[in-house]
Amino acid sequence: MHEVALVADLVEVASARSGGAPVGVVRVRYATTIPEDVLRQAFEMLAADGPLAGAALEAEPFEIRLDCPCGFSGALGHDDMVGTSIAVCPSCGDVSTPPRTAEIELLEVRAA
Ligand SMILES: [Zn+2]
């Protein structure tokens, strides 16, 4: 699951930003191509050691949209993505590359 790798990067960046001090809240934006429970489970698992242990994850979802030549225009879900960069149109099954957007964006690291 590529989500775990994304969250591992997130935890690393957030830890570095905290400078080793205990963190109370980590605020992120995440694409709805990532199921929220997967995001939270991965965060809890990966943040268990280090300054992020016990930190609350505040996650704000956003949509990655696809405009397909077949006429489909809408948000992509987890099942419509293959890896991080290939989208499968839910309407016609065409494979395309959606605009590259970071699926997880770190917004804020708040001290405990
Ligand atoms: Zn299509």
Side-chain angles (χ1 to χ4, degrees):
M1 286 196 302
H2 79 272
E3 288 88 358
V4 175
L6 289 173
V7 176
D9 287 347
L10 173 75
V11 166
E12 197 179 310
V13 173
S15 300
R17 207 181 277 191
S18 80
V23 173
V25 176
V26 175
R27 207 155 59 82
V28 302
R29 289 175 85 230
Y30 71 98
T32 50
T33 49
I34 301 175
E36 187 177 352
D37 58 334
V38 170
L39 174 68
R40 291 189 178 281
Q41 276 168 22
F43 181 80
E44 272 179 35
M45 183 178 78
L46 294 163
D49 294 316
L52 300 191
L57 181 67
E58 287 181 9
E60 303 169 6
F62 70 95
E63 294 177 340
I64 293 181
R65 299 186 65 83
L66 174 72
D67 290 303
C68 182
C70 79
F72 175 84
S73 176
L76 294 172
H78 182 248
D79 295 338
D80 305 322
M81 296 293 291
V82 180
T84 54
S85 56
I86 307 290
V88 179
C89 175
S91 174
C92 70
D94 232 26
V95 171
S96 63
T97 310
R100 276 201 76 79
T101 312
E103 285 184 282
I104 300 182
E105 191 185 336
L106 180 62
L107 297 178
E108 190 185 357
V109 177
R110 227 177 291 157

